[in-house]
Structures are given as structure tokens and as C-alpha cells.
Amino acid sequence: MLEMMAFPFMQRAFLGGILIALMASFYGPFIVQRRLAFLGSGLAHGAFGGVALGMFLGQEPLLVAIPFTVLVAVAIVWVRSKTDLEADTAIGVFISLSMALGIIFLYLREGNASDATTYLFGSILALNNYDIYLSLVALLGCLASVPLWSRWAYATFDETLARVDRHAVMRDEYILLVSVAMLVVISVKIVGILLVSAFLVIPAACARLLSRRFVHMMWWTLLVNTGGVVVGLLASYAINVPSGPAIILVQSAAFGLAFLYQRFARSA
Amino acid sequence: MTSPVIEASNVTVAFGDVVALDGVTITTPSNSFTAIIGPNGAGKSTLLKVLLGLQRPTTGSVRVLGGAPEALDRSALAYVPQKKTFATQFPATVLELVVSGISGGWPWRISKAHRERALVVMEQTGVTDLADQSVRALSGGELQRAFLARSLVNTPQILLLDEPAAGMDMRGEAAMYHILCDYQSKHGATVMMITHDWEGARYHADQVLLLDRRVVEYGPAREVASEARLLSLFGHRGHVHETHAEGDSHA
């Protein structure tokens, strides 16, 4: 099995997957605890609009998708803050809008749009050095937001108390969602638009079932996410199935085990 | 009575056409215990939000410890919310909740000094044994005592409480009043509490503010929170006394 590591594309797959897993483990618990699980999908669809715009303009799709998706994230927070709409409604509106724009951009683009399917389904085995550098830059951004962990967690626990303690809750939420938007865009190449939210949601949901403290939830999320990448890639190589879905199946299996643990072992 | 700690001058808060507070003027000194009583929708919680700096008055001005509420040092003021608005599914222990009051952020790790400081106030409110308990597993009364411990952990000069006795049994309520009165006298603090328990307010508070969007009456507790006064102002005598009245009528 170890001979797989001799392939450069496999080395990039492990490195890229683990980098994404590290970042998703930092943001995922906030997404799950704020009931924004739908957000990952919403932003991924926003990324689709951005990728299609990049292709239409003849630019590097991910570089166009980043500001496009950040704009979608800002719009979701802004609409939520200015109306009585729930988050899922605001996200639903922007999913549809981004998809519609994406389809129009692809239609207007000359030539076939088959390369867009790369972004729909992703391919962790097709990562190049540029993707790895982009992930490393995103990781630096993630590390820069570590000091915000305590504020984000506090506002996640109780927004009113955070406001009383003079936290700029709205500003912090913008930063969180913009950071998640950037992560989503970068992850799109790995697992694709259709599955990208799995990195943010499944490990954190699994961790929630196992944790009594938020900080423990972060560590469990990290373990399931990185473990999912390593085991998923090994499994996909061994049984010759697509790598992205294999990673997500491993994460889902961990969720199933956590569910059974909580259901039976804890209550025993 | 010494210099004013809370000064609200002609404060009006309107949400569109709905006036929540109408020209409220109050002055609260240090080392005092004020109970706010009024019917539902009287603007009691809105008044606390104005004092906390969470709600700007439409007109009028507010000064807390001589400055704008928004500019107040967070450790000088503590707040116990009415409806516990926290995310019930958030994985948190009681100790973490109390420690969050010290730092004003969620604790990544709890230092020995913070743990010891938290345990002192948890002892006072009777939640020491619940330190490692999940917050969401607490009963209503336990939750109130945990939030009360959190509010005391910084030894604030001002304590604002929105119906802190909700969910407590009679013993818990008596203990809470004892803690608040003891804290006020020991630290010379200003305590302001919304309550529907006018008998408790009359007995424990120095002043009572009767509020019904505007100030109906504001003065010494024994004078303001009387049965006859409440009956004439609000058309009922409060839920505590109604129980007695029913008993009387059956007798």
C-alpha cells in the first residue's frame, strides 16, 4: 500500500486533503453549532457561479470564484441582518441565484463546458502545486483568525451575552463567513461543489455527539476530518473508487459510530 | 445614598409606531437595590437593554457610572438575561459558563486562577457540585444560579437582572435574594432587578420602580410596592397575592 506514496499526485492528494481538513476542522464546529450546515452547500453553489464566471472571462476559475463566493457570503449575512428571514432562506435565495448565473455564464462561454464538471465532482488526485500553494495561503489566513476563536465561540453560545461584553458580533460573523467562503472555494477542486460541505459538517456533527465541551468538539472534528482524508485515500486506492466520495464515506462511517456510541454506550 | 450610578433622563424608545418606553427618568444611587415591576409589555426588559447599551434611546439620554453605557468597562457591569438565550445544543460545562464571565470570551482552556475564582462564586450560589455538568442538563433553577454565579465573578459595580428567579423554587428564590442583598451590602453595588414578585421586592429592595412604558411610580419599596397601590395601578395585586386571595375566598 505504501508504494502509492511514491506517486507525486498521491503526495499532493494527501497534503491538500489534510490542509483542507485542518481548516474545515477549525470552522466546522461553528457552522454546525450556529445551525448553518446548509451554508457550506450554499457557498459551494456560489463558488460554481464564480468558477463559471472565471471560465467565461477566460481567467483562472478559482481566482474569480474566491471574490465571487466571498460576495455571496457577505450578501447572505447582510440579508439575514436586515430582514427577519432565517439563515436557510437567505442561503436558498443565493444558491439559486448563483447557480442561475453560473449556467448563464457557461452558456455564454464559447466552446464546451465539460471542464466545469471537474468543479462539480472535484478530483483530489488532480491537484497541482498551484492548488497546494493556494491551500497553504488559506491555511495562513485560518491561522490568523485563531485569536477570534474565543469570540466566535462566545457569540455562538450566546449572542446577547457577547453583545453585552462589547463584542462586535456582526463584524465577527462577517469575518467567519468570509473565511468559510474562501475555504469552500479552495475545497471545491478536491471534493467538488456537490460534496464540499461534507468537510465542514459531517466531522463536526460527529464530534458534537462525542463532546461535552466545545474545545473537545474542535479536537474530535480534527481527528475525524484528517482521519477521513487518510483512510479515505487509502481505501480509494485499495478498492479503486473515486477519492472524494471515499473520504466522505469514511467521515460518514465515523458519524454512524459516534451516533451508536451516544445512543447505546453513553446511555448504558 | 451616594452619587448616582445610573441616570436615565427622559428616555423614550420607539420601534416604529410602537412606543416601548415613554419619557422615563430615573436616578439610581450606588449601594442600592431597585426592583422593577410592571405588566408584560411595560418596557422593563427594554429599559435594561438601554442601560446595557444594547438599545439606543430614540430620545433622551442615559449615563451609567458617569458615561455612556456603550463605553462602560465590561467588568463594571454584569447582566443576567431573562430568557436564557444561549444555544442549548452548545457543548458547555457550568464551569466554562462562569469562567466566560471573567474573560468575556469562551475559554479555550481554564487557568488555575480562573478556576479558583469561579469556584468561589459558584460556592456562593450553590452550583459548585455542578461544575463539570453540561449547561443544557441543568434544571431551570440550577441554570439561574449558574448564570447568577457568572454575573458575580467579576465583582461588578452594577448588576442588572431580568427576572432571575424565574424557574426557581421558593427556597431557591429566598437564597437568591440573600445572595443579592449580601453582595450589594458587601460591595456597595447597585442592583437592579426585574421581577413580578412584588412581595419579595417590597421586603428586599430599597426602591421600587413601577413601570408601564412610563414611570408610574418610583420610590421607597415599602411605600411603592403596596398591595393597594398595585391594585389601583395595574388592576391586580400580582401573582403571589392572587394565590392568597383565592385561598381567602375559599375560606
Side-chain angles (χ1 to χ4, degrees), chain A residues 33 35 149-150 153-154 156-158 160-161 163-167 208 211-215 217-219, chain B residues 52 54 69-70 72 74 79 85-87 89-93 96-97 104-106 108 132 134 136 150:
Chain A
Q33 287 302 137
R35 301 180 183 188
W149 183 91
S150 172
Y154 194 34
T156 304
F157 174 72
D158 193 322
T160 304
L161 290 180
R163 286 184 198 278
V164 170
D165 277 327
R166 312 296 175 227
H167 288 211
R208 177 63 194 89
S211 311
R212 287 178 56 231
R213 293 181 58 195
F214 190 63
V215 67
M217 187 176 166
M218 302 288 296
W219 294 124
Chain B
L52 287 163
L54 298 181
E70 303 84 28
L72 195 63
R74 60 164 294 275
Y79 171 59
T85 49
F86 71 94
Q89 294 305 312
F90 189 92
T93 64
E96 285 180 305
L97 170 68
W106 199 257
W108 173 271
D132 294 322
S134 284
R136 69 189 177 123
R150 182 188 180 282

Side-chain angles (χ1 to χ4, degrees), chain B residues 22-205:
Chain B
D22 185 7
V24 170
T25 297
I26 56 169
T27 303
T28 308
S30 62
N31 194 15
S32 67
F33 190 148
T34 302
I36 306 173
I37 301 176
N40 292 333
K44 306 183 294 294
S45 296
T46 304
L47 177 60
L48 286 201
K49 283 181 184 168
V50 169
L51 301 179
L52 287 163
L54 298 181
Q55 175 69 52
R56 282 183 187 277
T58 310
T59 59
S61 64
V62 177
R63 293 181 75 77
V64 179
L65 291 173
E70 303 84 28
L72 195 63
D73 175 24
R74 60 164 294 275
S75 62
L77 182 148
Y79 171 59
V80 177
Q82 175 194 20
K83 291 173 192 160
K84 299 299 174 278
T85 49
F86 71 94
T88 50
Q89 294 305 312
F90 189 92
T93 64
V94 173
L95 182 64
E96 285 180 305
L97 170 68
V98 177
V99 169
S100 75
I102 298 174
S103 56
W106 199 257
W108 173 271
R109 56 177 289 278
I110 298 171
S111 68
K112 193 180 172 201
H114 281 185
R115 170 184 280 272
E116 285 171 358
R117 199 166 137 195
L119 287 173
V120 169
V121 285
M122 289 169 72
E123 177 76 34
Q124 288 168 19
T125 65
V127 290
T128 313
D129 294 343
L130 304 173
D132 294 322
Q133 184 83 259
S134 284
V135 171
R136 69 189 177 123
L138 301 182
S139 70
E142 289 170 340
L143 197 58
Q144 297 286 27
R145 284 186 281 136
F147 270 86
L148 188 58
R150 182 188 180 282
S151 71
L152 298 177
V153 75
N154 276 334
T155 324
Q157 287 173 265
I158 303 169
L159 202 50
L160 302 179
L161 309 102
D162 198 342
E163 296 188 41
M168 282 186 180
D169 56 23
M170 287 177 67
R171 200 169 150 189
E173 196 172 333
M176 182 207 67
Y177 274 118
H178 176 73
I179 292 164
L180 290 177
C181 292
D182 188 48
Y183 180 82
Q184 178 217 329
S185 59
K186 193 172 170 187
H187 299 282
T190 300
V191 179
M192 189 174 265
M193 179 179 94
I194 293 173
T195 181
H196 291 291
D197 173 17
W198 66 270
E199 287 183 328
R202 185 169 63 174
Y203 187 75
H204 295 286

Side-chain angles (χ1 to χ4, degrees), chain A residues 261-268:
Chain A
Y261 171 76
Q262 198 208 34
R263 183 78 182 80
F264 298 109
R266 259 197 189 173
S267 57

